[in-house]
Amino acid sequence: AQKVTQAQTEISVVEKEDVTLDCVYETRDTTYYLFWYKQPPSGELVFLIRRNSFDEQNEISGRYSWNFQKSTSSFNFTITASQVVDSAVYFCALISTNAGKSTFGDGTTLTVKP
Amino acid sequence: GAVVSQHPSWVICKSGTSVKIECRSLDFQATTMFWYRQFPKQSLMLMATSNEGSKATYEQGVEKDKFLINHASLTLSTLTVTSAHPEDSSFYICSAQARGASTDTQYFGPGTRLTVL
């Protein structure tokens, strides 16, 4: 069975603060993929990043960075110098290469105040 | 990038009626499509997996007779909510896996918001 846990239900920060969204996962598969999605109020999922289980390199994309640690089964997401437009619900997800099914965490609602 | 559309984007219907939601891959062929349901302020829950030309595989707890899925072509999958009731009101999202692509390559549609009165 697969499980994705996003322990932070809601986070509120003031603009320009850095914020880290936590994601911990469980899977018995040795090969899998991890994702982060942003869901603004419109509802459409916006793809942010995909990482496979063999690639533990951290990644930075502009103000976004991701820290993948297989030893702790974590795939955390950091937004640097947050902006009001970053306000959304963020989902961490896992896909098992065996079944191809996506398992989503419960999401973290991020509110960035001006 | 690959585009997946859903139609309608929102629908309001009376209790007891059936509603059909379409999911189309616009610029690629999708051998597999996935249907998710998202209740307000909750996560996405996988309902079923459909492969072109074969019966859908439903997740545990999802009534196959209530949520009819038809994946008739490589670019179209439909979800029909039969005899809809207010508790079926939700945000339905599909995703499509391109033909020949690995399982991690899935593209999400924009979602359909269903409200049953």
Side-chain angles (χ1 to χ4, degrees):
Chain A
Q2 300 178 163
K3 186 177 180 181
V4 176
T5 302
Q6 294 179 252
Q8 305 145 309
T9 305
E10 297 182 6
I11 299 177
S12 181
V13 299
V14 177
E15 209 170 17
K16 298 185 182 177
E17 285 185 18
D18 297 347
V19 58
T20 295
L21 309 182
D22 298 334
C23 173
V24 174
Y25 63 92
E26 296 175 30
T27 180
R28 293 180 181 175
D29 293 325
T30 55
T31 306
Y32 50 89
Y33 295 86
L34 296 164
F35 299 78
W36 274 97
Y37 293 93
K38 176 181 180 180
Q39 188 178 44
S42 65
E44 184 165 1
L45 286 176
V46 177
F47 167 82
L48 297 178
I49 190 171
R50 171 178 62 241
R51 173 68 68 214
N52 75 55
S53 52
F54 295 109
D55 183 1
E56 287 193 69
Q57 279 193 342
N58 293 329
E59 183 161 338
I60 298 175
S61 176
R63 296 185 297 109
Y64 296 168
S65 63
W66 291 270
N67 181 264
F68 176 27
Q69 294 201 351
K70 212 168 176 180
S71 60
T72 56
S73 299
S74 65
F75 187 43
N76 297 337
F77 171 34
T78 297
I79 302 175
T80 304
S82 60
Q83 300 176 1
V84 173
V85 293
D86 295 328
S87 297
V89 181
Y90 290 86
F91 289 99
C92 180
L94 179 149
I95 289 183
S96 159
T97 51
N98 283 340
K101 299 179 183 180
S102 292
T103 299
F104 283 78
D106 288 339
T108 296
T109 300
L110 174 65
T111 301
V112 182
K113 299 177 181 177
Chain B
V3 178
V4 175
S5 71
Q6 283 185 238
H7 178 80
S9 54
W10 59 269
V11 57
I12 301 173
C13 70
K14 292 182 179 179
S15 186
T17 60
S18 294
V19 175
K20 180 184 285 188
I21 302 170
E22 294 184 349
C23 176
R24 291 181 186 274
S25 55
L26 298 186
D27 50 359
F28 66 98
Q29 293 184 327
T31 48
T32 304
M33 288 186 173
F34 303 87
W35 285 97
Y36 297 85
R37 179 169 52 184
Q38 184 182 26
F39 292 111
K41 298 190 183 299
Q42 293 189 24
S43 186
L44 282 76
M45 299 300 295
L46 180 65
M47 297 175 66
T49 303
S50 76
N51 292 297
E52 187 265 338
S54 62
K55 290 184 178 180
T57 303
Y58 291 81
E59 295 299 302
Q60 194 171 9
V62 178
E63 299 174 59
K64 57 183 69 175
D65 294 331
K66 181 167 184 62
F67 298 99
L68 302 178
I69 293 173
N70 186 350
H71 194 158
S73 76
L74 285 170
T75 59
L76 173 65
S77 176
T78 60
L79 167 67
T80 301
V81 183
T82 61
S83 187
H85 290 286
E87 57 266 28
D88 298 323
S89 298
S90 187
F91 192 53
Y92 292 87
I93 305 173
C94 72
S95 73
Q97 179 182 323
R99 184 177 196 169
S102 59
T103 54
D104 65 301
T105 309
Q106 297 181 18
Y107 303 97
F108 283 86
T112 297
R113 198 166 300 278
L114 169 64
T115 302
V116 185
L117 302 177

